[in-house]
PDB file of all heavy atoms in Angstrom:
ATOM      1  N   THR A   3       0.832  -1.221   0.039  1.00  0.00           N
ATOM      2  CA  THR A   3       0.038   0.023  -0.069  1.00  0.00           C
ATOM      3  C   THR A   3       0.876   1.223   0.049  1.00  0.00           C
ATOM      4  O   THR A   3       0.665   2.135  -0.693  1.00  0.00           O
ATOM      5  CB  THR A   3      -0.956  -0.114   1.190  1.00  0.00           C
ATOM      6  OG1 THR A   3      -1.777  -1.223   1.187  1.00  0.00           O
ATOM      7  CG2 THR A   3      -1.819   1.298   1.212  1.00  0.00           C
ATOM      8  N   ASP A   4       1.904   1.251   0.753  1.00  0.00           N
ATOM      9  CA  ASP A   4       2.784   2.464   0.830  1.00  0.00           C
ATOM     10  C   ASP A   4       3.480   2.638  -0.401  1.00  0.00           C
ATOM     11  O   ASP A   4       3.592   3.774  -0.967  1.00  0.00           O
ATOM     12  CB  ASP A   4       3.755   2.298   2.021  1.00  0.00           C
ATOM     13  CG  ASP A   4       4.529   3.494   2.312  1.00  0.00           C
ATOM     14  OD1 ASP A   4       3.899   4.538   2.308  1.00  0.00           O
ATOM     15  OD2 ASP A   4       5.850   3.494   2.402  1.00  0.00           O
ATOM     16  N   ALA A   5       4.027   1.486  -1.047  1.00  0.00           N
ATOM     17  CA  ALA A   5       4.642   1.626  -2.373  1.00  0.00           C
ATOM     18  C   ALA A   5       3.763   2.014  -3.456  1.00  0.00           C
ATOM     19  O   ALA A   5       3.985   2.984  -4.347  1.00  0.00           O
ATOM     20  CB  ALA A   5       5.299   0.341  -2.819  1.00  0.00           C
ATOM     21  N   ALA A   6       2.428   1.740  -3.406  1.00  0.00           N
ATOM     22  CA  ALA A   6       1.437   2.050  -4.403  1.00  0.00           C
ATOM     23  C   ALA A   6       1.066   3.629  -4.168  1.00  0.00           C
ATOM     24  O   ALA A   6       1.094   4.290  -5.197  1.00  0.00           O
ATOM     25  CB  ALA A   6       0.176   1.164  -4.238  1.00  0.00           C
ATOM     26  N   ASN A   7       1.023   3.985  -3.113  1.00  0.00           N
ATOM     27  CA  ASN A   7       0.755   5.422  -2.678  1.00  0.00           C
ATOM     28  C   ASN A   7       1.921   6.302  -3.106  1.00  0.00           C
ATOM     29  O   ASN A   7       1.656   7.457  -3.659  1.00  0.00           O
ATOM     30  CB  ASN A   7       0.540   5.721  -1.123  1.00  0.00           C
ATOM     31  CG  ASN A   7      -0.861   5.178  -0.845  1.00  0.00           C
ATOM     32  OD1 ASN A   7      -1.730   5.024  -1.565  1.00  0.00           O
ATOM     33  ND2 ASN A   7      -1.006   4.804   0.512  1.00  0.00           N
ATOM     34  N   GLU A   8       3.018   5.828  -2.870  1.00  0.00           N
ATOM     35  CA  GLU A   8       4.310   6.627  -3.357  1.00  0.00           C
ATOM     36  C   GLU A   8       4.414   6.769  -4.928  1.00  0.00           C
ATOM     37  O   GLU A   8       4.548   7.845  -5.366  1.00  0.00           O
ATOM     38  CB  GLU A   8       5.555   5.913  -2.929  1.00  0.00           C
ATOM     39  CG  GLU A   8       6.808   6.533  -3.405  1.00  0.00           C
ATOM     40  CD  GLU A   8       8.118   5.825  -3.053  1.00  0.00           C
ATOM     41  OE1 GLU A   8       8.177   4.705  -2.780  1.00  0.00           O
ATOM     42  OE2 GLU A   8       9.264   6.489  -3.082  1.00  0.00           O
ATOM     43  N   ALA A   9       4.088   5.581  -5.604  1.00  0.00           N
ATOM     44  CA  ALA A   9       4.065   5.728  -7.175  1.00  0.00           C
ATOM     45  C   ALA A   9       2.927   6.643  -7.478  1.00  0.00           C
ATOM     46  O   ALA A   9       3.158   7.466  -8.422  1.00  0.00           O
ATOM     47  CB  ALA A   9       3.790   4.323  -7.692  1.00  0.00           C
ATOM     48  N   LYS A  10       1.739   6.562  -6.960  1.00  0.00           N
ATOM     49  CA  LYS A  10       0.603   7.399  -7.332  1.00  0.00           C
ATOM     50  C   LYS A  10       0.936   8.895  -7.136  1.00  0.00           C
ATOM     51  O   LYS A  10       0.693   9.747  -7.980  1.00  0.00           O
ATOM     52  CB  LYS A  10      -0.668   7.054  -6.522  1.00  0.00           C
ATOM     53  CG  LYS A  10      -1.755   7.851  -6.838  1.00  0.00           C
ATOM     54  CD  LYS A  10      -3.044   7.398  -6.099  1.00  0.00           C
ATOM     55  CE  LYS A  10      -4.146   8.157  -6.327  1.00  0.00           C
ATOM     56  NZ  LYS A  10      -5.324   7.715  -5.582  1.00  0.00           N
ATOM     57  N   ASP A  11       1.544   9.171  -5.968  1.00  0.00           N
ATOM     58  CA  ASP A  11       1.932  10.571  -5.585  1.00  0.00           C
ATOM     59  C   ASP A  11       3.070  11.143  -6.498  1.00  0.00           C
ATOM     60  O   ASP A  11       2.924  12.297  -6.985  1.00  0.00           O
ATOM     61  CB  ASP A  11       2.377  10.572  -4.143  1.00  0.00           C
ATOM     62  CG  ASP A  11       2.478  11.933  -3.518  1.00  0.00           C
ATOM     63  OD1 ASP A  11       1.518  12.631  -3.454  1.00  0.00           O
ATOM     64  OD2 ASP A  11       3.640  12.348  -3.063  1.00  0.00           O
ATOM     65  N   ASN A  12       4.007  10.236  -6.794  1.00  0.00           N
ATOM     66  CA  ASN A  12       5.103  10.704  -7.682  1.00  0.00           C
ATOM     67  C   ASN A  12       4.605  10.952  -9.090  1.00  0.00           C
ATOM     68  O   ASN A  12       5.060  11.930  -9.774  1.00  0.00           O
ATOM     69  CB  ASN A  12       6.102   9.740  -7.556  1.00  0.00           C
ATOM     70  CG  ASN A  12       6.926   9.784  -6.320  1.00  0.00           C
ATOM     71  OD1 ASN A  12       6.717  10.624  -5.455  1.00  0.00           O
ATOM     72  ND2 ASN A  12       7.800   8.766  -6.092  1.00  0.00           N
ATOM     73  N   VAL A  13       3.740  10.104  -9.631  1.00  0.00           N
ATOM     74  CA  VAL A  13       3.209  10.286 -10.965  1.00  0.00           C
ATOM     75  C   VAL A  13       2.437  11.598 -10.974  1.00  0.00           C
ATOM     76  O   VAL A  13       2.597  12.297 -11.850  1.00  0.00           O
ATOM     77  CB  VAL A  13       2.309   9.023 -11.332  1.00  0.00           C
ATOM     78  CG1 VAL A  13       1.395   9.428 -12.600  1.00  0.00           C
ATOM     79  CG2 VAL A  13       3.193   7.907 -11.594  1.00  0.00           C
ATOM     80  N   LYS A  14       1.599  11.796 -10.021  1.00  0.00           N
ATOM     81  CA  LYS A  14       0.924  13.124 -10.040  1.00  0.00           C
ATOM     82  C   LYS A  14       1.688  14.256 -10.090  1.00  0.00           C
ATOM     83  O   LYS A  14       1.541  15.219 -10.853  1.00  0.00           O
ATOM     84  CB  LYS A  14      -0.045  13.218  -8.640  1.00  0.00           C
ATOM     85  CG  LYS A  14      -0.734  14.417  -8.445  1.00  0.00           C
ATOM     86  CD  LYS A  14      -1.667  14.514  -7.271  1.00  0.00           C
ATOM     87  CE  LYS A  14      -0.767  14.518  -5.993  1.00  0.00           C
ATOM     88  NZ  LYS A  14      -1.386  14.665  -4.822  1.00  0.00           N
ATOM     89  N   TYR A  15       2.811  14.294  -9.278  1.00  0.00           N
ATOM     90  CA  TYR A  15       3.612  15.487  -9.236  1.00  0.00           C
ATOM     91  C   TYR A  15       4.523  15.679 -10.541  1.00  0.00           C
ATOM     92  O   TYR A  15       4.717  16.750 -11.072  1.00  0.00           O
ATOM     93  CB  TYR A  15       4.533  15.424  -7.980  1.00  0.00           C
ATOM     94  CG  TYR A  15       3.694  15.779  -6.692  1.00  0.00           C
ATOM     95  CD1 TYR A  15       3.501  14.968  -5.828  1.00  0.00           C
ATOM     96  CD2 TYR A  15       3.225  17.150  -6.627  1.00  0.00           C
ATOM     97  CE1 TYR A  15       2.764  15.389  -4.646  1.00  0.00           C
ATOM     98  CE2 TYR A  15       2.364  17.549  -5.521  1.00  0.00           C
ATOM     99  CZ  TYR A  15       2.251  16.621  -4.559  1.00  0.00           C
ATOM    100  OH  TYR A  15       1.561  16.958  -3.457  1.00  0.00           O
ATOM    101  N   LEU A  16       4.942  14.483 -11.002  1.00  0.00           N
ATOM    102  CA  LEU A  16       5.779  14.504 -12.254  1.00  0.00           C
ATOM    103  C   LEU A  16       4.865  14.944 -13.369  1.00  0.00           C
ATOM    104  O   LEU A  16       5.463  15.538 -14.379  1.00  0.00           O
ATOM    105  CB  LEU A  16       6.522  13.153 -12.485  1.00  0.00           C
ATOM    106  CG  LEU A  16       7.598  12.839 -11.493  1.00  0.00           C
ATOM    107  CD1 LEU A  16       8.001  11.398 -11.701  1.00  0.00           C
ATOM    108  CD2 LEU A  16       8.720  13.787 -11.652  1.00  0.00           C
ATOM    109  N   TYR A  17       3.642  14.565 -13.495  1.00  0.00           N
ATOM    110  CA  TYR A  17       2.784  15.001 -14.504  1.00  0.00           C
ATOM    111  C   TYR A  17       2.637  16.586 -14.478  1.00  0.00           C
ATOM    112  O   TYR A  17       2.564  17.198 -15.500  1.00  0.00           O
ATOM    113  CB  TYR A  17       1.428  14.418 -14.489  1.00  0.00           C
ATOM    114  CG  TYR A  17       1.054  13.241 -15.303  1.00  0.00           C
ATOM    115  CD1 TYR A  17       0.727  11.975 -14.830  1.00  0.00           C
ATOM    116  CD2 TYR A  17       1.450  13.207 -16.739  1.00  0.00           C
ATOM    117  CE1 TYR A  17       0.557  10.942 -15.640  1.00  0.00           C
ATOM    118  CE2 TYR A  17       1.234  12.208 -17.490  1.00  0.00           C
ATOM    119  CZ  TYR A  17       0.820  11.058 -16.995  1.00  0.00           C
ATOM    120  OH  TYR A  17       0.610   9.911 -17.712  1.00  0.00           O
ATOM    121  N   SER A  18       2.628  17.233 -13.302  1.00  0.00           N
ATOM    122  CA  SER A  18       2.496  18.662 -13.196  1.00  0.00           C
ATOM    123  C   SER A  18       3.811  19.257 -13.703  1.00  0.00           C
ATOM    124  O   SER A  18       3.747  20.392 -14.052  1.00  0.00           O
ATOM    125  CB  SER A  18       2.395  18.920 -11.680  1.00  0.00           C
ATOM    126  OG  SER A  18       3.519  18.868 -10.922  1.00  0.00           O
ATOM    127  N   LEU A  19       4.866  18.553 -13.790  1.00  0.00           N
ATOM    128  CA  LEU A  19       6.185  19.124 -14.407  1.00  0.00           C
ATOM    129  C   LEU A  19       6.134  19.148 -15.926  1.00  0.00           C
ATOM    130  O   LEU A  19       7.030  19.784 -16.555  1.00  0.00           O
ATOM    131  CB  LEU A  19       7.355  18.337 -13.836  1.00  0.00           C
ATOM    132  CG  LEU A  19       7.816  18.486 -12.466  1.00  0.00           C
ATOM    133  CD1 LEU A  19       9.029  17.723 -12.189  1.00  0.00           C
ATOM    134  CD2 LEU A  19       7.981  20.036 -11.984  1.00  0.00           C
ATOM    135  N   GLU A  20       5.323  18.361 -16.563  1.00  0.00           N
ATOM    136  CA  GLU A  20       5.283  18.080 -17.928  1.00  0.00           C
ATOM    137  C   GLU A  20       5.399  19.372 -18.669  1.00  0.00           C
ATOM    138  O   GLU A  20       6.176  19.642 -19.635  1.00  0.00           O
ATOM    139  CB  GLU A  20       4.332  17.205 -18.298  1.00  0.00           C
ATOM    140  CG  GLU A  20       4.477  16.297 -19.372  1.00  0.00           C
ATOM    141  CD  GLU A  20       3.432  15.211 -19.573  1.00  0.00           C
ATOM    142  OE1 GLU A  20       2.247  15.490 -19.243  1.00  0.00           O
ATOM    143  OE2 GLU A  20       3.656  14.244 -20.302  1.00  0.00           O
ATOM    144  N   LYS A  21       4.503  20.386 -18.393  1.00  0.00           N
ATOM    145  CA  LYS A  21       4.397  21.488 -19.161  1.00  0.00           C
ATOM    146  C   LYS A  21       5.748  22.405 -19.085  1.00  0.00           C
ATOM    147  O   LYS A  21       6.077  23.225 -19.948  1.00  0.00           O
ATOM    148  CB  LYS A  21       3.244  22.363 -18.842  1.00  0.00           C
ATOM    149  CG  LYS A  21       3.275  23.053 -17.298  1.00  0.00           C
ATOM    150  CD  LYS A  21       1.964  23.706 -17.043  1.00  0.00           C
ATOM    151  CE  LYS A  21       2.003  24.138 -15.647  1.00  0.00           C
ATOM    152  NZ  LYS A  21       0.762  24.752 -15.245  1.00  0.00           N
ATOM    153  N   TYR A  22       6.490  22.172 -18.023  1.00  0.00           N
ATOM    154  CA  TYR A  22       7.724  22.905 -17.788  1.00  0.00           C
ATOM    155  C   TYR A  22       8.957  22.190 -18.397  1.00  0.00           C
ATOM    156  O   TYR A  22       9.795  22.916 -18.952  1.00  0.00           O
ATOM    157  CB  TYR A  22       8.066  23.087 -16.222  1.00  0.00           C
ATOM    158  CG  TYR A  22       7.030  23.812 -15.558  1.00  0.00           C
ATOM    159  CD1 TYR A  22       6.151  23.294 -14.701  1.00  0.00           C
ATOM    160  CD2 TYR A  22       6.881  25.263 -15.689  1.00  0.00           C
ATOM    161  CE1 TYR A  22       5.202  23.931 -14.016  1.00  0.00           C
ATOM    162  CE2 TYR A  22       5.926  26.039 -15.093  1.00  0.00           C
ATOM    163  CZ  TYR A  22       5.071  25.326 -14.167  1.00  0.00           C
ATOM    164  OH  TYR A  22       4.184  26.050 -13.537  1.00  0.00           O
ATOM    165  N   TYR A  23       8.815  20.889 -18.534  1.00  0.00           N
ATOM    166  CA  TYR A  23      10.076  20.210 -19.171  1.00  0.00           C
ATOM    167  C   TYR A  23       9.860  19.959 -20.705  1.00  0.00           C
ATOM    168  O   TYR A  23      10.801  19.587 -21.411  1.00  0.00           O
ATOM    169  CB  TYR A  23      10.620  18.953 -18.427  1.00  0.00           C
ATOM    170  CG  TYR A  23       9.694  17.796 -18.268  1.00  0.00           C
ATOM    171  CD1 TYR A  23       9.309  17.030 -19.480  1.00  0.00           C
ATOM    172  CD2 TYR A  23       9.259  17.402 -17.041  1.00  0.00           C
ATOM    173  CE1 TYR A  23       8.501  15.956 -19.368  1.00  0.00           C
ATOM    174  CE2 TYR A  23       8.311  16.234 -16.978  1.00  0.00           C
ATOM    175  CZ  TYR A  23       8.105  15.538 -18.079  1.00  0.00           C
ATOM    176  OH  TYR A  23       7.208  14.470 -18.024  1.00  0.00           O
ATOM    177  N   ASP A  24       8.625  19.996 -21.116  1.00  0.00           N
ATOM    178  CA  ASP A  24       8.414  19.807 -22.664  1.00  0.00           C
ATOM    179  C   ASP A  24       9.314  20.694 -23.404  1.00  0.00           C
ATOM    180  O   ASP A  24       9.799  20.265 -24.488  1.00  0.00           O
ATOM    181  CB  ASP A  24       6.973  20.080 -22.936  1.00  0.00           C
ATOM    182  CG  ASP A  24       6.109  18.840 -22.816  1.00  0.00           C
ATOM    183  OD1 ASP A  24       6.716  17.615 -22.640  1.00  0.00           O
ATOM    184  OD2 ASP A  24       4.852  18.896 -22.796  1.00  0.00           O
ATOM    185  N   PRO A  25       9.495  22.048 -23.132  1.00  0.00           N
ATOM    186  CA  PRO A  25      10.387  22.775 -23.969  1.00  0.00           C
ATOM    187  C   PRO A  25      11.853  22.277 -23.971  1.00  0.00           C
ATOM    188  O   PRO A  25      12.480  22.549 -24.925  1.00  0.00           O
ATOM    189  CB  PRO A  25      10.397  24.168 -23.212  1.00  0.00           C
ATOM    190  CG  PRO A  25       9.030  24.296 -22.566  1.00  0.00           C
ATOM    191  CD  PRO A  25       8.853  22.741 -22.002  1.00  0.00           C
ATOM    192  N   LEU A  26      12.170  21.542 -23.011  1.00  0.00           N
ATOM    193  CA  LEU A  26      13.501  20.981 -23.012  1.00  0.00           C
ATOM    194  C   LEU A  26      13.654  19.921 -24.136  1.00  0.00           C
ATOM    195  O   LEU A  26      14.796  19.622 -24.580  1.00  0.00           O
ATOM    196  CB  LEU A  26      13.871  20.216 -21.651  1.00  0.00           C
ATOM    197  CG  LEU A  26      13.833  21.180 -20.378  1.00  0.00           C
ATOM    198  CD1 LEU A  26      14.306  20.201 -19.208  1.00  0.00           C
ATOM    199  CD2 LEU A  26      14.897  22.192 -20.590  1.00  0.00           C
ATOM    200  N   TYR A  27      12.535  19.302 -24.527  1.00  0.00           N
ATOM    201  CA  TYR A  27      12.547  18.234 -25.582  1.00  0.00           C
ATOM    202  C   TYR A  27      12.179  18.886 -26.971  1.00  0.00           C
ATOM    203  O   TYR A  27      12.697  18.511 -27.939  1.00  0.00           O
ATOM    204  CB  TYR A  27      11.410  17.310 -25.334  1.00  0.00           C
ATOM    205  CG  TYR A  27      11.773  16.265 -24.189  1.00  0.00           C
ATOM    206  CD1 TYR A  27      11.468  16.578 -22.836  1.00  0.00           C
ATOM    207  CD2 TYR A  27      12.472  15.077 -24.427  1.00  0.00           C
ATOM    208  CE1 TYR A  27      11.730  15.656 -21.917  1.00  0.00           C
ATOM    209  CE2 TYR A  27      12.672  14.262 -23.399  1.00  0.00           C
ATOM    210  CZ  TYR A  27      12.375  14.449 -22.066  1.00  0.00           C
ATOM    211  OH  TYR A  27      12.719  13.752 -21.066  1.00  0.00           O
ATOM    212  N   ASN A  28      11.501  20.021 -26.967  1.00  0.00           N
ATOM    213  CA  ASN A  28      10.914  20.600 -28.236  1.00  0.00           C
ATOM    214  C   ASN A  28      11.590  21.887 -28.676  1.00  0.00           C
ATOM    215  O   ASN A  28      11.032  22.383 -29.593  1.00  0.00           O
ATOM    216  CB  ASN A  28       9.370  20.695 -27.995  1.00  0.00           C
ATOM    217  CG  ASN A  28       8.727  19.499 -27.693  1.00  0.00           C
ATOM    218  OD1 ASN A  28       9.116  18.414 -28.121  1.00  0.00           O
ATOM    219  ND2 ASN A  28       7.717  19.467 -26.776  1.00  0.00           N
ATOM    220  N   SER A  29      12.481  22.363 -27.915  1.00  0.00           N
ATOM    221  CA  SER A  29      12.989  23.855 -28.212  1.00  0.00           C
ATOM    222  C   SER A  29      14.428  23.826 -28.546  1.00  0.00           C
ATOM    223  O   SER A  29      15.142  22.951 -28.138  1.00  0.00           O
ATOM    224  CB  SER A  29      12.580  24.746 -27.166  1.00  0.00           C
ATOM    225  OG  SER A  29      11.236  24.807 -26.735  1.00  0.00           O
ATOM    226  N   ASP A  30      14.954  24.921 -29.034  1.00  0.00           N
ATOM    227  CA  ASP A  30      16.328  25.172 -29.112  1.00  0.00           C
ATOM    228  C   ASP A  30      16.893  25.520 -27.828  1.00  0.00           C
ATOM    229  O   ASP A  30      16.105  26.139 -27.038  1.00  0.00           O
ATOM    230  CB  ASP A  30      16.527  26.113 -30.269  1.00  0.00           C
ATOM    231  CG  ASP A  30      16.021  27.477 -29.992  1.00  0.00           C
ATOM    232  OD1 ASP A  30      14.919  27.761 -30.269  1.00  0.00           O
ATOM    233  OD2 ASP A  30      16.656  28.264 -29.394  1.00  0.00           O
ATOM    234  N   PRO A  31      18.256  25.636 -27.677  1.00  0.00           N
ATOM    235  CA  PRO A  31      18.733  26.004 -26.275  1.00  0.00           C
ATOM    236  C   PRO A  31      18.382  27.319 -25.828  1.00  0.00           C
ATOM    237  O   PRO A  31      18.180  27.583 -24.519  1.00  0.00           O
ATOM    238  CB  PRO A  31      20.292  25.839 -26.449  1.00  0.00           C
ATOM    239  CG  PRO A  31      20.326  24.756 -27.576  1.00  0.00           C
ATOM    240  CD  PRO A  31      19.251  24.954 -28.503  1.00  0.00           C
ATOM    241  N   VAL A  32      18.320  28.282 -26.747  1.00  0.00           N
ATOM    242  CA  VAL A  32      17.895  29.711 -26.300  1.00  0.00           C
ATOM    243  C   VAL A  32      16.510  29.684 -25.876  1.00  0.00           C
ATOM    244  O   VAL A  32      16.201  30.387 -24.820  1.00  0.00           O
ATOM    245  CB  VAL A  32      18.259  30.613 -27.510  1.00  0.00           C
ATOM    246  CG1 VAL A  32      17.725  32.050 -27.147  1.00  0.00           C
ATOM    247  CG2 VAL A  32      19.675  30.735 -27.892  1.00  0.00           C
ATOM    248  N   SER A  33      15.662  28.970 -26.591  1.00  0.00           N
ATOM    249  CA  SER A  33      14.224  29.021 -26.222  1.00  0.00           C
ATOM    250  C   SER A  33      13.909  28.290 -24.852  1.00  0.00           C
ATOM    251  O   SER A  33      13.092  28.494 -24.111  1.00  0.00           O
ATOM    252  CB  SER A  33      13.324  28.358 -27.271  1.00  0.00           C
ATOM    253  OG  SER A  33      13.510  28.988 -28.374  1.00  0.00           O
ATOM    254  N   MET A  34      14.808  27.303 -24.507  1.00  0.00           N
ATOM    255  CA  MET A  34      14.665  26.549 -23.195  1.00  0.00           C
ATOM    256  C   MET A  34      14.845  27.428 -22.152  1.00  0.00           C
ATOM    257  O   MET A  34      14.323  27.136 -20.985  1.00  0.00           O
ATOM    258  CB  MET A  34      15.807  25.422 -23.246  1.00  0.00           C
ATOM    259  CG  MET A  34      15.612  24.335 -24.160  1.00  0.00           C
ATOM    260  SD  MET A  34      16.935  23.107 -23.879  1.00  0.00           S
ATOM    261  CE  MET A  34      16.814  22.156 -25.309  1.00  0.00           C
ATOM    262  N   LEU A  35      15.615  28.441 -22.218  1.00  0.00           N
ATOM    263  CA  LEU A  35      15.923  29.345 -21.070  1.00  0.00           C
ATOM    264  C   LEU A  35      14.757  29.917 -20.379  1.00  0.00           C
ATOM    265  O   LEU A  35      14.695  30.013 -19.098  1.00  0.00           O
ATOM    266  CB  LEU A  35      16.871  30.403 -21.532  1.00  0.00           C
ATOM    267  CG  LEU A  35      18.206  30.127 -21.690  1.00  0.00           C
ATOM    268  CD1 LEU A  35      19.035  31.336 -22.310  1.00  0.00           C
ATOM    269  CD2 LEU A  35      19.049  29.499 -20.666  1.00  0.00           C
ATOM    270  N   ASP A  36      13.746  30.235 -21.168  1.00  0.00           N
ATOM    271  CA  ASP A  36      12.500  30.768 -20.669  1.00  0.00           C
ATOM    272  C   ASP A  36      11.662  29.705 -19.717  1.00  0.00           C
ATOM    273  O   ASP A  36      11.064  30.029 -18.798  1.00  0.00           O
ATOM    274  CB  ASP A  36      11.516  31.159 -21.757  1.00  0.00           C
ATOM    275  CG  ASP A  36      12.011  32.376 -22.484  1.00  0.00           C
ATOM    276  OD1 ASP A  36      12.860  33.072 -21.965  1.00  0.00           O
ATOM    277  OD2 ASP A  36      11.576  32.481 -23.648  1.00  0.00           O
ATOM    278  N   ALA A  37      11.963  28.424 -20.051  1.00  0.00           N
ATOM    279  CA  ALA A  37      11.148  27.342 -19.150  1.00  0.00           C
ATOM    280  C   ALA A  37      11.880  27.013 -17.896  1.00  0.00           C
ATOM    281  O   ALA A  37      11.356  26.507 -16.855  1.00  0.00           O
ATOM    282  CB  ALA A  37      11.042  26.025 -20.053  1.00  0.00           C
ATOM    283  N   ILE A  38      13.283  27.317 -17.776  1.00  0.00           N
ATOM    284  CA  ILE A  38      14.042  26.856 -16.650  1.00  0.00           C
ATOM    285  C   ILE A  38      13.475  27.466 -15.218  1.00  0.00           C
ATOM    286  O   ILE A  38      13.419  26.670 -14.368  1.00  0.00           O
ATOM    287  CB  ILE A  38      15.531  27.251 -16.964  1.00  0.00           C
ATOM    288  CG1 ILE A  38      15.965  26.564 -18.192  1.00  0.00           C
ATOM    289  CG2 ILE A  38      16.317  26.870 -15.657  1.00  0.00           C
ATOM    290  CD1 ILE A  38      16.569  25.197 -18.096  1.00  0.00           C
ATOM    291  N   PRO A  39      13.278  28.716 -15.071  1.00  0.00           N
ATOM    292  CA  PRO A  39      12.852  29.187 -13.841  1.00  0.00           C
ATOM    293  C   PRO A  39      11.537  28.537 -13.396  1.00  0.00           C
ATOM    294  O   PRO A  39      11.361  28.210 -12.236  1.00  0.00           O
ATOM    295  CB  PRO A  39      12.545  30.705 -14.054  1.00  0.00           C
ATOM    296  CG  PRO A  39      13.422  30.959 -15.250  1.00  0.00           C
ATOM    297  CD  PRO A  39      13.495  29.819 -16.021  1.00  0.00           C
ATOM    298  N   GLY A  40      10.581  28.338 -14.245  1.00  0.00           N
ATOM    299  CA  GLY A  40       9.332  27.630 -13.947  1.00  0.00           C
ATOM    300  C   GLY A  40       9.520  26.280 -13.525  1.00  0.00           C
ATOM    301  O   GLY A  40       8.954  25.734 -12.542  1.00  0.00           O
ATOM    302  N   LEU A  41      10.366  25.555 -14.200  1.00  0.00           N
ATOM    303  CA  LEU A  41      10.777  24.220 -13.930  1.00  0.00           C
ATOM    304  C   LEU A  41      11.402  24.063 -12.544  1.00  0.00           C
ATOM    305  O   LEU A  41      10.923  23.298 -11.759  1.00  0.00           O
ATOM    306  CB  LEU A  41      11.661  23.591 -15.004  1.00  0.00           C
ATOM    307  CG  LEU A  41      12.128  22.247 -14.802  1.00  0.00           C
ATOM    308  CD1 LEU A  41      10.867  21.245 -14.704  1.00  0.00           C
ATOM    309  CD2 LEU A  41      13.046  21.747 -16.031  1.00  0.00           C
ATOM    310  N   ILE A  42      12.313  24.925 -12.247  1.00  0.00           N
ATOM    311  CA  ILE A  42      13.090  24.859 -10.933  1.00  0.00           C
ATOM    312  C   ILE A  42      11.972  25.191  -9.768  1.00  0.00           C
ATOM    313  O   ILE A  42      11.973  24.565  -8.816  1.00  0.00           O
ATOM    314  CB  ILE A  42      14.095  25.822 -10.962  1.00  0.00           C
ATOM    315  CG1 ILE A  42      15.282  25.333 -11.911  1.00  0.00           C
ATOM    316  CG2 ILE A  42      14.746  26.036  -9.593  1.00  0.00           C
ATOM    317  CD1 ILE A  42      16.458  26.191 -12.090  1.00  0.00           C
ATOM    318  N   ASN A  43      11.088  26.071 -10.062  1.00  0.00           N
ATOM    319  CA  ASN A  43      10.092  26.595  -9.044  1.00  0.00           C
ATOM    320  C   ASN A  43       9.027  25.316  -8.835  1.00  0.00           C
ATOM    321  O   ASN A  43       8.760  25.002  -7.647  1.00  0.00           O
ATOM    322  CB  ASN A  43       9.345  27.712  -9.400  1.00  0.00           C
ATOM    323  CG  ASN A  43      10.151  28.969  -9.153  1.00  0.00           C
ATOM    324  OD1 ASN A  43      11.033  28.978  -8.214  1.00  0.00           O
ATOM    325  ND2 ASN A  43       9.995  30.094  -9.871  1.00  0.00           N
TER     326      ASN A  43
END
């Protein structure tokens, strides 16, 4: 139960990061810079 809860919690939070790390996959290095502060926060 604890391991299932951990996985569920981590998936939820990592999904919330998706909009911040997508530019790391889809942008050039200069455009990535705009996404970094939001990702770190």
